[in-house]
Amino acid sequence: MESSIDIGWWQLTAFMSVLLIPLAINLKLQLKLGREISIAVIRMTVQLILVGLYLEFLFSLNSLFINSLWLSIMVLIGASAIITGAKLPKRALYLPVLTGLVIGVAPLMLILLLLLLKPQPLYSAQYLIPLAGMLLGNCLSGNIVALQRLFNALDEKKMEYEGILALGGTPYQGAFPFLQSALSQSLAPILASMTSMGLVTLPGMMTGQILGGSDPMLAVKYQLIILVAIFVTLTVSVTISLTLSIKRSITDTGLIKIKQLRQSHQGDKQI
């Protein structure tokens, strides 16, 4: 297999001119998205170039301390991004979401590095950072969807919740149907993607490896490992995040504190 074909900076710049097409559609249909498109493209380009430069430095240094520190920062920022994306109070729910991410990601990373891939050294940035990034990245959208569904259901279907309490159920039993629904909805996209994998789409990691010169069957093996790891990580992290968030936002007497938490969150933002 041949190695990856290099892309010159001038070639990349020339290719970026295809962005004129969505910009022209934006002008023609008066979508008023020109500023948003420009900002998104500029941020994406600058951020990826900076990350590329940093990863080159990280790979050459390959320090246990630096790699661990970077991984910790990724997890902390990921938890913050989930709370922000779900538009929920960070002060109240940051710890439950962070706990869900750590418990979801850490065991799978240990299995991948210690038992399966066995890179040398085990903390090799070439494996540690991309693997953790893929697992965390796929947890973001799932957790956001799940938290939004859970707290919207608690807010909109409060009578159903109170009906379960009136029949002698505990607060957790009252919120359990909403937890089930939120978890199911958060897992639906990845299950649909897994079902159509190979028939409708070729996943990004597999495509990247093939373009990089890897044997197609080796790329398939890596992709299967990553997809299974992502699915397990997402399931565990969302389940723990939802469970701990329920305990954090509902009192022992069954009072739902989410409205108060949201009001407090809005007040903090205004200040």
Side-chain angles (χ1 to χ4, degrees):
M1 299 294 290
E2 298 180 357
S3 59
S4 299
I5 299 173
D6 191 19
I7 300 175
W9 286 105
W10 69 269
Q11 293 173 305
L12 178 60
T13 303
F15 174 76
M16 298 285 275
S17 64
V18 299
L19 289 167
L20 293 173
I21 298 172
L23 287 172
I25 293 174
N26 170 68
L27 289 175
K28 180 68 175 179
L29 301 181
Q30 299 180 356
L31 302 178
K32 299 180 180 179
L33 294 176
R35 184 173 181 273
E36 287 81 355
I37 293 173
S38 300
I39 291 175
V41 171
I42 292 171
R43 285 194 58 173
M44 172 188 69
T45 304
V46 172
Q47 288 169 184
L48 285 179
I49 290 175
L50 291 176
V51 167
L53 293 172
Y54 178 71
L55 287 179
E56 286 184 347
F57 167 75
L58 201 65
F59 287 4
S60 62
L61 190 63
N62 215 17
S63 162
L64 173 61
F65 174 75
I66 297 297
N67 293 352
S68 301
L69 178 62
W70 183 248
L71 181 59
S72 300
I73 292 173
M74 291 170 64
V75 174
L76 293 171
I77 294 177
S80 178
I82 289 171
I83 298 296
T84 301
K87 299 179 181 179
L88 292 167
K90 188 176 296 185
R91 182 187 301 175
L93 299 179
Y94 184 81
L95 186 57
V97 172
L98 178 62
T99 303
L101 284 182
V102 172
I103 296 178
V105 171
L108 267 297
M109 287 296 297
L110 291 174
I111 292 173
L112 288 172
L113 296 176
L114 288 173
L115 303 179
L116 194 61
L117 301 177
K118 301 178 182 179
Q120 294 296 327
L122 284 173
Y123 56 84
S124 173
Q126 180 183 356
Y127 291 88
L128 180 67
I129 303 305
L131 288 174
M134 280 188 284
L135 296 183
L136 287 169
N138 283 273
C139 282
L140 293 186
S141 58
N143 273 276
I144 290 172
V145 169
L147 289 168
Q148 285 179 331
R149 296 292 189 274
L150 173 65
F151 286 107
N152 285 340
L154 285 172
D155 201 20
E156 297 169 358
K157 300 180 180 179
K158 189 176 179 181
M159 292 184 65
E160 294 181 22
Y161 167 77
E162 291 176 343
I164 296 176
L165 295 184
L167 293 174
T170 65
Y172 181 77
Q173 289 173 330
F176 185 72
F178 307 136
L179 183 152
Q180 286 180 309
S181 177
L183 180 58
S184 297
Q185 291 180 63
S186 69
L187 296 179
I190 188 172
L191 288 173
S193 177
M194 290 167 65
T195 302
S196 62
M197 198 69 66
L199 297 176
V200 179
T201 62
L202 283 180
M205 180 181 178
M206 179 178 168
T207 303
Q209 282 194 304
I210 292 174
L211 291 176
S214 294
D215 179 79
M217 288 309 299
L218 178 61
V220 167
K221 293 175 185 177
Y222 267 90
Q223 188 62 62
L224 286 171
I225 290 169
I226 292 303
L227 284 173
V228 170
I230 288 172
F231 179 64
V232 174
T233 299
L234 179 61
T235 304
V236 173
S237 67
V238 172
T239 301
I240 293 175
S241 295
L242 291 176
T243 302
L244 295 181
S245 295
I246 287 175
K247 293 182 178 180
R248 179 66 180 84
S249 56
I250 299 179
T251 66
D252 293 337
T253 59
L255 176 64
I256 301 175
K257 299 187 294 182
I258 189 59
K259 286 187 177 181
Q260 294 90 323
L261 293 174
R262 279 175 168 162
Q263 290 171 358
S264 174
H265 176 57
Q266 294 297 326
D268 292 341
K269 289 177 65 175
Q270 291 174 1
I271 293 173

